[in-house]
Amino acid sequence: SSGINAEWPLRPGGASGGIGQPLSLLLKQSTLIDELSLYDIANTVGVAADLSHIESKAQVKGYVGESELEECLKGSNIVVIPAGMPRKPGMTRDDLFNINAGIAKSLAEACARTCPEAMICIISNPVNSTVPIAAEVYKKAGVYDPKRIFGVTTLDVVRANTFIAELKGTPVEQTQCPVIGGHAGITILPLLSRVEPSVQFTDEERQALTVRIQNAGTEVVEAKAGGGSATLSMAYAGARFAFALLQAMNGAKNVVECSMVDSDVTELPFFSTPLVLGRNGVEKNLGIGTINDFEKEGLEKLKGELNASIEKGIKFANQ
């Protein structure tokens, strides 16, 4: 690490929700954060007061309502956006679109005005559309830097690592599976041929595991039976990504995470691949790399759906 201060102000927007609260708790424990500003439309002051009693150095402050949003965002280095409605049983991520797209757009507009150089980490679903929405907002404001806007797809990687370790008995802390594409259904493509440490899968295992990773969100929605969607595992994944980004911004080398970003890896304008993170966001896009025939087929299959979601986001942002 070089001489840059490892302490960064960090702001989760949507901080008192199902993801926001556990995410804020995880972030509060980090020694890399000296200021944690929480924003939501309600309850944030109480959440901030509760978190502020924890014996770690991050100073916590809560901001409530649109009138306080810009004050909250001022001076941010990283903004994490988990805001929006959770999925209920029978709902697709697209059913969430109209509610969450509006929320993502207004938060992105506030960020573009107030902290245009901050890293923006978008958790709000559908990520396949909310990332293009944020990018369009930034372009309109004349402050777009494609290296600083991230769709957090880390939960797909976390799930892949967990499910592979369960199936194959590998140590879960060492299991690493890149996941490319998008962050919904078939647009999620785990590269099982590239798992480290290397493991072999039968055709049946590969098929079943791929489908389980793609549908893992629905697995949780159904298990919660009306009680919401994946919040705790998503908070963990969001924190994992934020910590990786903080370490990279602080000068750590070879920090690699998958994320959905502005991309020329395929013909699609946004795509998730492994990225080397650096002081200014995306340092290098590692691309798709070598994949097998099963994955090549999955890649071709996902493009139509992912492209439609991206176009839907762009259209919404320009309404």
Side-chain angles (χ1 to χ4, degrees), residues 110-289:
C111 292
R113 278 193 307 272
T114 314
C115 53
E117 293 188 356
M119 306 293 173
I120 308 296
C121 306
I122 299 170
I123 292 171
S124 306
N125 267 322
V127 166
N128 292 355
S129 301
T130 51
V131 172
I133 287 169
E136 287 298 303
V137 165
Y138 271 62
K139 284 175 191 171
K140 271 194 204 165
V143 292
Y144 184 50
D145 179 349
K147 299 196 291 291
R148 291 172 184 264
I149 295 181
F150 299 91
V152 180
T153 59
T154 317
L155 183 51
D156 301 324
V157 175
V158 167
R159 286 168 166 159
N161 295 345
T162 302
F163 300 164
I164 291 161
E166 280 173 3
L167 182 69
K168 291 294 179 181
T170 55
V172 70
E173 308 80 16
Q174 288 158 33
T175 304
Q176 290 297 332
C177 177
V179 180
I180 65 167
H183 183 58
I186 65 158
T187 71
I188 299 165
L189 185 61
L191 301 182
L192 299 175
S193 66
R194 297 247 298 282
V195 176
E196 291 175 9
S198 181
V199 286
Q200 298 305 308
F201 299 97
T202 64
D203 289 349
E204 291 75 20
E205 284 174 334
R206 187 182 297 113
Q207 176 67 35
L209 198 51
T210 298
V211 169
R212 186 178 177 206
I213 293 160
Q214 290 171 335
N215 293 332
T218 305
E219 200 176 294
V220 176
V221 168
E222 287 171 357
K224 288 194 175 181
S229 57
T231 52
L232 301 173
S233 51
M234 185 62 248
Y236 167 84
R240 171 180 149 163
F241 186 78
F243 295 150
L245 196 48
L246 282 162
Q247 285 161 351
M249 288 165 74
N250 194 43
K253 295 289 174 219
N254 304 316
V255 178
V256 176
E257 287 286 344
C258 294
S259 178
M260 186 171 167
V261 294
D262 187 311
S263 171
D264 58 7
V265 164
T266 68
E267 61 274 31
L268 305 181
F270 296 88
F271 201 82
S272 184
T273 43
L275 310 168
V276 179
L277 303 175
R279 290 184 191 280
N280 299 306
V282 180
E283 195 165 275
K284 188 181 181 193
N285 192 325
L286 297 175
I288 292 169

